[in-house]
Amino acid sequence: MKYRIIPVTPFEQNCTLLWCTETMKGAFVDPGGDIERLTDAAARLGVSVEKILLTHGHIDHAGGAGELAQRLGVPIEGPQREESFWIDQLVAQSRSFGFPPAQAFTPDRWLEDGDTVTVGKETLQVLYTPGHTPGHVVFYHAPSKLALVGDVLFAGSVGRTDFPRGDFQTLMDSIKHKLWPLGDDVEFISGHGPMSTFGRERLTNPFVGDGA
């Protein structure tokens, strides 16, 4: 499996294009906006996008999902069902943050902890990781030791918990009990900023490192 990180929206949100190298079928993870930029990238890489995956429902992650799904004729999978709290507010979120009007949608498949999703012939595990939002999920590709963690964890920081239905202790539990057990050598793509590894964050992260 290969990936390309494509920052979108004024929030510089890391949308990720994942694809199976055998089939060249792919998925967009968290297409928050800038749809033309995303479709152009897929075309340049020769990737046929077959679905959209969402970690959570904040506008910078999900704002372009409805329109993109309709344009490509593909399903939306994720997040966990509790995230309807935010997805149902997408149109209002777009107004509040000055984003282009978001197209309302309901995911074709809600995901639960322990589910899997496929991208071509590749399979990713689904981990339910609330705290930043109530229905946040993480996607993990074990063969690549790669996790797409949305806004749960960042290089040197963690996700905000001051939004409605955020909770700091729940977020800490999600990181320590769902992410750390995957292994220190796992690389992760965050919703914003550079990549890192779980091992590096356990050593240095001031919020959730082993010495915090």
Side-chain angles (χ1 to χ4, degrees), residues 153-171:
L153 180 67
F154 303 104
S157 189
V158 296
R160 292 174 59 173
T161 56
D162 56 334
F163 294 117
R165 294 194 65 186
D167 183 80
F168 183 77
Q169 188 56 54
T170 301
L171 181 67

Side-chain angles (χ1 to χ4, degrees), residues 56-134:
H56 66 294
H58 281 163
I59 185 66
D60 55 324
H61 290 254
E67 181 181 345
L68 186 59
Q70 185 177 63
R71 182 183 298 195
L72 299 178
V74 300
I76 298 172
E77 299 186 9
Q80 196 266 357
R81 189 175 299 275
E82 289 295 317
E83 202 66 8
S84 61
F85 174 80
W86 283 109
I87 290 175
D88 290 347
Q89 301 180 55
L90 267 180
V91 175
Q93 286 188 66
S94 63
R95 288 196 297 264
S96 296
F97 288 97
F99 276 58
Q103 182 172 314
F105 67 89
T106 299
D108 296 275
R109 179 190 176 198
W110 295 107
L111 298 173
E112 297 293 341
D113 193 64
D115 283 349
T116 59
V117 295
T118 58
V119 178
K121 293 186 177 181
E122 302 290 347
T123 299
L124 293 91
Q125 301 171 28
V126 176
L127 296 88
Y128 176 43
T129 53
H132 175 64
T133 64

